[in-house]
Structure formats: structure tokens, C-alpha cells
Amino acid sequence: MTDQLERLNRLPLRTNLRGLTPYGAPQLDVPILLNVNENTHGVPADVLAAISEAVTAAAAGLNRYPDREFTELRERLAEYLGHGLGAENIWAANGSNEVLQQILQAFGGPGRTALGFPPTYSMYPLLASGTDTEYIVGQRADDYGLSAESAARQVRELQPNVVFLCSPNNPTGTGLGLDVVEAVYAAGEASQTVVIVDEAYHEFAHDGTPSALALLPGRERLIVSRTMSKAFALAGARLGYMAAAPEVTDALRLVRLPYHLSAITQATALAALTHREALMADVEDIKLQRDRIVTELTRMGLKPAASDSNYVFFGGLENPHEVWQGLLDAGVLIRDVGIPGHLRVTAGTETETTAFLEALELILTRQPSVPA
């Protein structure tokens, strides 16, 4: 690794990229993978058949470029989101990370800043570096919460060009109230701050949890990003999207690469949207396993955070890396997010969740929890 770094540093790399390491969670060959918040249920058979049929049909025209505007997909995504949205409000790219990158290409860049509130999604600073946007580290409360008053005050003081609000937040799994979004948007009026609400896990939220989509009317600087990687079980297809005012989608057309969404990607996403009822049924099962994890971890004396996502962030561990290694030795891979006393686990199938809980309880008999 040292030799590799030395070779890299001999290149005329941009200064702000020197010393950085690429994003990536461990990809290990173990029986139970619960570390990267994938949909562990897989694609249902009927949906898989529909996708295969759609992809085969699209393959017949692969000698031609795909629809550059992916019009049908934008129409179907708008219909799925509701809230009175139309195709003109929708944009999509190869995963929500590319959507966020394009937003920074359009509204960030040299001499501009992006504000995030760690602990949060670790790609935000990397996306900022990749677009030569200065990343500003905001502050959360001791319990990792973010109040409307605190967030708005920081926006007024720092006057960022872009703000990332992750809801549910990754890695904590906790959602933000719409009052936080409203306060941040209002606080950014003077600096014309673009506010991104990253709702990658919104489909897993508890019933009745509002979406920032409801706040879009009259707020041209507000963007709500989503993904088909999680609830739609399409992490391998790479389809992320966002909803915003039509002028925002026009701005992203200035920075997107030509024909950036392949015909295969478009066909896959359209087929999944057509069969979303089957996919949402799996979402409900995942939510049951998530709530089961919260209940069982509490019984074990640990401190799980309330989760509106498909994962659980939990504390109360004296040596989290030792617990992580013990689970790995038992064939269960979860995520060490580098926060003292805490780990994060994806809600798996019932069988996977049971294996995680049983292995963890066995490990905890050998390691005391952190005193309350």
C-alpha cells in the first residue's frame, strides 16, 4: 500500500486529492453480509422475469444511443413519488451518488463550499473533493441529533453554497423533522444555499413519516434525492434520482455526460417500477426485522438508535472492533463506522437477522457493555 501511495503521489494529482483514500466498505466472502445496507431479500422471481424481458427487448437496439432525456423513466418516477410532480421535476443518474456529484458540479466547485453534519454519509466529503468544493464540517448534538435551531444557525454563520441533510441519516438511521429542512432553507436565503435532502432510505421509514417532497412547491433551491438501490433491490443496476424545480434539472443537463443512462439501466428501472408492489412487500418484511433488531439489542443491554432505515446503529460497546471481528469470525459481516462504542448492522432476512442476534449475544457474554 505504501508503494502504491508513493507511485500515486508522483503523478501531478490535484492538491486537494492528495492523501485521500477511495470510498469502500470491506467486501469479504462470508455467508451473511449485513454491512452496506443492501436489500438482502433479492429481486422477487416475477420482477426478475419482467426485468429480463425488458432488458432483452432493449438489447435489440443497443446499436443506437438510448433516450438522452429518459423521458418515460422520468414520467414513471414522478408518478411513483406523487406530490403533484411531473417529468420536468425529475432527474436520474447512475446511482444517487452520481446525482449528488452532478449537483455539486452545477452548484459547487472551486471557491464554493458544501456543508455536512457528521456523522453522516461518508461520500459527501469525497464528492466535494472530487468537484473541488470545500467541505465544511457542521456540528450535531451529543446524541447525534440535529435541531432546526442549530442547523439554521450554522447555515446563517457559514453561508455554504450547498447543504447536505441526510434523512434518515446514515449511519445513525434517524430521520429529520421537516422543521429542520424548512429552517435550513430559510436560513440559506441570503446566501442562496442549495439544500439537498438525501432520502435514500425513505421507503423504510415508519408509517406516517413525512417526506421533504412535500416542501418542494415554492422552494427552487430544494432538492430531494432518492435511490432504487435499497427499497427496489437494484443496488447492482445503479439508478438514483432526484426531485426539484424544473430549473434545477435544466442546470444538471449542463454538466451531465451525453447519454449517461444506458438503455439497459432505463429498461431495468422501468420494469421494477411496474412491479413495485412485490418489491414494497419485501420492504415491509425488512422493517419488521429492523424493529426486531432494535428490540433484541435493547434486551441485551445495548443502546440502539431509533431507526427509520433498513439498518440499526447501536452503542453501548466497550470494544466495538472486537465485537465486529467476533461476528466476522462467526460468518456475519456488519459495519464498523469508526464511532467509539458503536456499530451498524443492516436488517437482513429473518434467517440472517437471527444469525446476527445469536452470534452477538454469544459474544456479549464474553465482553461487558459500556456502563450507562
Side-chain angles (χ1 to χ4, degrees):
M1 183 65 181
T2 301
D3 290 342
Q4 182 180 1
L5 183 60
E6 288 178 354
R7 291 195 303 271
L8 177 62
N9 285 333
R10 286 198 294 267
L11 293 174
L13 194 65
R14 278 181 12 214
T15 301
N16 69 312
L17 297 181
R18 291 190 179 277
L20 296 184
T21 55
Y23 173 87
Q27 291 185 306
L28 306 176
D29 185 16
V30 297
I32 299 176
L33 300 171
L34 302 176
N35 68 321
V36 289
N37 303 338
E38 296 161 317
N39 186 324
T40 55
H41 285 56
V43 180
D46 56 339
V47 184
L48 182 60
I51 290 173
S52 297
E53 182 179 350
V55 167
T56 298
L62 287 181
N63 59 308
R64 302 293 186 182
Y65 286 118
D67 176 10
R68 185 177 60 240
E69 291 297 309
F70 45 97
T71 305
E72 184 181 2
L73 178 56
R74 288 190 295 116
E75 290 172 347
R76 297 286 293 282
L77 286 169
E79 182 268 331
Y80 166 67
L81 292 178
H83 292 274
L85 297 168
E88 69 277 7
N89 300 109
I90 305 298
W91 189 252
N94 294 285
S96 59
N97 286 327
E98 187 176 52
V99 172
L100 298 178
Q101 181 184 58
Q102 290 175 346
I103 294 169
L104 287 176
Q105 287 174 317
F107 300 108
R112 296 194 172 196
T113 60
L115 172 65
F117 298 93
T120 191
Y121 185 32
S122 58
M123 271 301 296
Y124 297 154
L126 294 178
L127 289 166
S129 293
T131 56
D132 210 4
T133 306
E134 180 186 353
Y135 186 74
I136 303 175
V137 175
Q139 302 298 316
R140 291 180 177 266
D142 290 342
D143 63 356
Y144 306 122
L146 184 64
S147 70
E149 180 182 7
S150 172
R153 175 182 51 78
Q154 294 180 66
V155 170
R156 283 192 299 269
E157 292 175 355
L158 298 168
Q159 297 187 340
N161 299 100
V162 177
V163 172
F164 291 107
L165 296 175
C166 192
S167 182
N169 187 47
N170 184 3
T172 60
T174 49
L176 287 176
L178 294 190
D179 61 322
V180 179
V181 181
E182 291 176 297
V184 165
Y185 188 89
E189 185 68 38
S191 52
Q192 289 292 283
T193 300
V194 172
V195 179
I196 305 169
V197 184
D198 184 349
E199 292 189 344
Y201 299 93
H202 180 78
E203 285 91 346
F204 300 99
H206 288 87
D207 292 343
T209 300
S211 164
L213 292 169
L215 301 179
L216 286 175
R219 294 181 173 88
E220 73 280 356
R221 292 177 288 103
L222 179 62
I223 301 171
V224 181
S225 68
R226 294 282 188 95
T227 184
M228 295 186 75
S229 293
K230 313 300 182 181
F232 283 86
L234 292 181
R238 312 308 302 130
L239 194 290
Y241 59 103
M242 50 135 266
E247 52 266 40
V248 173
T249 63
D250 285 340
L252 299 195
R253 285 181 175 88
L254 301 176
V255 298
R256 60 98 179 266
L257 295 175
Y259 311 103
H260 69 291
L261 275 186
S262 77
I264 300 301
T265 299
Q266 294 182 45
T268 299
L270 285 166
L273 285 164
T274 299
H275 294 81
R276 61 178 180 262
E277 291 80 7
L279 293 162
M280 293 305 116
D282 282 343
V283 166
E284 291 305 311
D285 186 63
I286 291 168
K287 290 164 68 175
L288 287 174
Q289 297 307 316
R290 173 204 61 203
D291 294 343
R292 176 188 172 202
I293 291 171
V294 170
T295 299
E296 289 300 300
L297 294 186
T298 302
R299 179 186 62 78
M300 294 179 200
L302 299 175
K303 301 172 183 177
S307 178
D308 275 308
S309 54
N310 70 335
Y311 53 88
V312 177
F313 176 74
F314 61 100
L317 300 168
E318 185 173 302
N319 190 332
H321 188 73
E322 184 178 301
V323 173
W324 179 88
Q325 186 62 56
L327 288 166
L328 181 60
D329 293 341
V332 180
L333 179 62
I334 69 171
R335 189 71 173 265
D336 185 346
V337 292
I339 298 175
H342 290 77
L343 293 170
R344 189 194 72 194
V345 60
T346 305
T349 62
E350 182 178 3
T351 299
E352 291 171 331
T353 300
T354 298
F356 159 70
L357 291 170
E358 290 179 348
L360 177 62
E361 189 155 29
L362 184 61
I363 292 167
L364 291 179
T365 62
R366 304 193 299 265
Q367 183 195 64
S369 62
V370 175

